[in-house]
Amino acid sequence: MAKGDDAVRRKKNKAQRKKLNRKSDSSTVSARVASIIAAKKRRKAGKRRICEGMCFSLPTPDDPFNERLDKKDISRREPQKPKPSKLDRKVSAKRKDSVATKGSVLGHNVALKDGQKKSVTLINNMGKSRHIDSGKKEIQQDGKKVGLHGNQEQACKSSDFPSKYLILCLKAIEDTLYPDGTYNGEEGNRLFVNPWGIEFWKCYSAGKDILETSGSSSDFEQIAWIASTAADVISRREKEGHLFTGPFLLFIVPSKEKALKVRSLCKPLKAQGIHTVSLHPGASIDHQINGLQSCEPEFLVSTPERLLELVSLKAIDISGVSMLVIDGMESASGGCYLDTVKSIRQAISGKPHTLVFFNSFNNAYVPAVQSLLTGLVYRLSLNDSVASQSAGIIQSIHVCSSKEERTMKGIQALDNAYSNQIIAQHLKVLYVVGKDNNIQKLVSAVKFKGYSISISSYLNSMESGNSLDCGGRIPTVSIIHTENISCTDLGEYGVVIIPDFVLSIDDYLQILTRMARHTVNGVLHSFLTKDDSRHAGPLIEILEQCGEEVAEELRNL
């Protein structure tokens, strides 16, 4: 080899070594420098780089991306139209009227009036229908609104299964905590097939607040699914162009140990661009203020007292929180803890997606839960116990001296249910009566108060001569027979009144565990007399199991 060629080869090798060294050095930079480099790359991939050829004009404050320049639209190849299948060609060949004309669908002519929007329904080879409305820039596929570019109006309702990014976040948490693969050994215990996590994702996608009533605080699987779901929503909204100026997820915990546990579970998501900060009394407040000034976390895990202190110092802004998780309702601090949580909730503007772990079956915490969850909720629990399924439902048992007193107190309970205008908007009331009850007398008493009545078909046949539609000023009150309990959707009723305790304890438990599935203001009223003393013992056991107080009148009965 000539001397000149050898020198050129050494020069190329030296340049290649320098290039490799620069790549290795860039991977060892700090997280903050890496984020700056990533932001710079995103800026370089912006609209300024899409123009054809060289762009000699400099950006200005009024036009930072040179969007006012006359740019040529980059031509894109139009997608080819799908060819009809052989089966479609055979069908069209057999039909003489299969030639589609203007305003026809698959050979069936559709008459269009002047000003009427043309609507077309197509059926693909899988049997699924697509409804196309030419008046709107959207396509309805299987009941979901899709834009012309295939984007769902609500990303969380785009599919029946979690996204690949959510599964990736769960896998990152799983691999970090169990690097040797011990957790992955049992296929049924994988995070992405966790029953609670799948139910939580469905509830969150439905857009309702969630009341978790399993009776325990958040565990490893639940925290992993909460963090991964929040990360998936952040990623999806960033693709849509949304910007977050503050934390997206706020996780309220009762102690320092719980805060460190939650942060350790969220830490693996840092590789996905999700930064988590924990705030607790174990660190100095000055150190935490300096840390919050140097970063903008997506997840914030904190004890309520320290967070409220930092908010009062304006060290952090939580007004834009989109997801709120509250754990530790049974905290030793009791009322102080709940009052602090309420103050934090007031500092959040708007209506965040709220998840409350109701891990104490004590009715003393029910008012706090009702103040946090004001709208429709979804009850989430994999525990089939009576205390878990009836958590937050108040059992009000009245001991009366006569039948007239039972009827009067039942009407009073009905009036009290509708006295709160905020609760009455989503409230439905149900009366459960027996065979021997005087239905005519009960209907007359309820109608006299101005309520409208809805009676089941069985009772309606018994009282065929009674007019039941009074067009009342207050929502309808439903009345069913005890035999129709199993076939009635009790979940939509927030208040159930049993004016005469003629049902069995099994029917009582069925009503208690199936009613008020979408509210935290559930009340079950029962009225007993001395003749019902045989039910007093089982009812006392149910009240004690659910953590409710037992009235002295019931114990005497």
Side-chain angles (χ1 to χ4, degrees), residues 28-136:
T28 60
V29 297
S30 63
R32 182 170 179 78
V33 176
S35 63
I36 296 175
I37 295 174
K40 185 177 180 181
K41 289 182 180 180
R42 288 195 295 269
R43 288 196 302 271
K44 287 185 177 180
K47 297 182 180 179
R48 287 181 286 178
R49 297 288 176 174
I50 302 180
C51 58
E52 281 189 9
M54 296 295 294
C55 181
F56 293 97
S57 61
L58 296 176
T60 61
D62 296 332
D63 186 20
F65 295 107
N66 289 334
E67 293 177 338
R68 299 179 183 177
L69 294 177
D70 295 330
K71 300 178 183 179
K72 297 181 179 180
D73 294 335
I74 301 176
S75 61
R76 297 182 178 179
R77 184 180 299 176
E78 296 182 356
Q80 296 181 356
K81 297 181 178 180
K83 297 181 180 179
S85 62
K86 294 181 180 180
L87 181 61
D88 295 336
R89 288 197 294 268
K90 290 180 181 179
V91 173
S92 61
K94 290 180 180 179
R95 293 185 178 180
K96 295 181 181 180
D97 58 345
S98 61
V99 179
T101 59
K102 185 176 181 181
S104 65
V105 181
L106 297 180
H108 300 281
N109 294 330
V110 180
L112 297 178
K113 300 179 181 179
D114 295 338
Q116 183 180 1
K117 298 179 181 178
K118 184 164 69 174
S119 177
V120 182
T121 303
L122 303 180
I123 301 177
N124 58 13
N125 295 332
M126 300 299 293
K128 297 182 178 181
S129 62
R130 276 198 313 165
H131 179 77
I132 304 177
D133 191 350
S134 62
K136 298 180 180 180

Side-chain angles (χ1 to χ4, degrees), residues 121-159:
T121 303
L122 303 180
I123 301 177
N124 58 13
N125 295 332
M126 300 299 293
K128 297 182 178 181
S129 62
R130 276 198 313 165
H131 179 77
I132 304 177
D133 191 350
S134 62
K136 298 180 180 180
K137 294 184 178 181
E138 61 183 19
I139 298 175
Q140 296 185 358
Q141 184 171 356
D142 299 335
K144 300 173 184 175
K145 295 182 180 180
V146 185
L148 290 180
H149 300 287
N151 297 326
Q152 296 284 351
E153 283 191 352
Q154 292 184 357
C156 60
K157 297 182 181 179
S158 60
S159 64

Side-chain angles (χ1 to χ4, degrees), residues 282-542:
S284 64
I285 191 169
D286 294 334
H287 173 73
Q288 293 175 349
I289 292 176
N290 294 333
L292 291 172
Q293 291 176 351
S294 60
C295 67
E296 294 182 357
E298 285 78 16
F299 293 174
L300 190 62
V301 185
S302 176
T303 57
E305 295 83 4
R306 178 51 59 93
L307 178 61
L308 193 61
E309 187 177 359
L310 291 171
V311 170
S312 62
L313 296 174
K314 297 183 179 181
I316 188 170
D317 182 18
I318 61 172
S319 60
V321 169
S322 300
M323 186 175 180
L324 176 63
V325 180
I326 302 173
D327 194 4
M329 296 294 290
E330 82 296 351
S331 176
S333 55
C336 297
Y337 180 88
L338 299 177
D339 294 339
T340 309
V341 171
K342 292 179 183 178
S343 301
I344 292 174
R345 176 61 185 88
Q346 293 175 358
I348 301 175
S349 60
K351 193 177 185 303
H353 216 134
T354 306
L355 166 62
V356 177
F357 283 88
F358 191 65
N359 44 13
S360 176
F361 299 135
N362 191 344
N363 277 350
Y365 301 103
V366 173
V369 176
Q370 292 175 349
S371 63
L372 295 171
L373 303 176
T374 56
L376 297 177
V377 301
Y378 190 97
R379 289 176 175 267
L380 176 59
S381 175
L382 300 181
N383 189 351
D384 295 333
S385 65
V386 176
S388 175
Q389 295 296 326
S390 63
I393 298 177
I394 299 176
Q395 303 176 59
S396 180
I397 300 178
H398 311 267
V399 179
C400 305
S401 58
S402 62
K403 294 182 179 180
E404 290 75 12
E405 185 181 357
R406 286 187 311 192
T407 304
M408 181 183 65
K409 287 189 175 181
I411 299 298
Q412 290 179 358
L414 183 61
D415 292 336
N416 293 334
Y418 284 111
S419 61
N420 191 334
Q421 297 296 330
I422 299 177
I423 300 177
Q425 295 177 0
H426 310 287
L427 190 65
K428 289 187 177 181
V429 180
L430 174 68
Y431 268 87
V432 181
V433 297
K435 275 185 178 179
D436 300 332
N437 288 78
N438 191 348
I439 307 301
Q440 178 67 34
K441 187 175 181 180
L442 176 63
V443 169
S444 301
V446 174
K447 290 174 62 177
F448 180 76
K449 285 288 187 176
Y451 297 93
S452 58
I453 307 296
S454 174
I455 297 184
S456 63
S457 58
Y458 175 82
L459 295 176
N460 198 7
S461 61
M462 295 174 57
E463 300 292 333
S464 57
N466 180 31
S467 177
L468 304 176
D469 186 11
C470 65
R473 54 181 173 81
I474 298 179
T476 305
V477 177
S478 302
I479 301 178
I480 66 169
H481 189 266
T482 52
E483 295 179 354
N484 298 332
I485 292 176
S486 58
C487 60
T488 303
D489 184 13
L490 301 176
E492 61 179 350
Y493 295 101
V495 176
V496 177
I497 301 175
I498 306 175
D500 188 4
F501 205 92
V502 295
L503 42 85
S504 63
I505 294 298
D506 293 337
D507 291 337
Y508 180 84
L509 290 175
Q510 188 177 173
I511 295 174
L512 179 62
T513 56
R514 288 176 52 201
M515 65 173 288
R517 296 297 94 186
H518 305 294
T519 180
V520 293
N521 301 287
V523 183
L524 176 58
H525 294 278
S526 303
F527 299 91
L528 285 74
T529 60
K530 293 181 180 180
D531 298 335
D532 303 318
S533 58
R534 65 185 183 277
H535 299 305
L539 288 175
I540 291 175
E541 293 180 3
I542 295 173

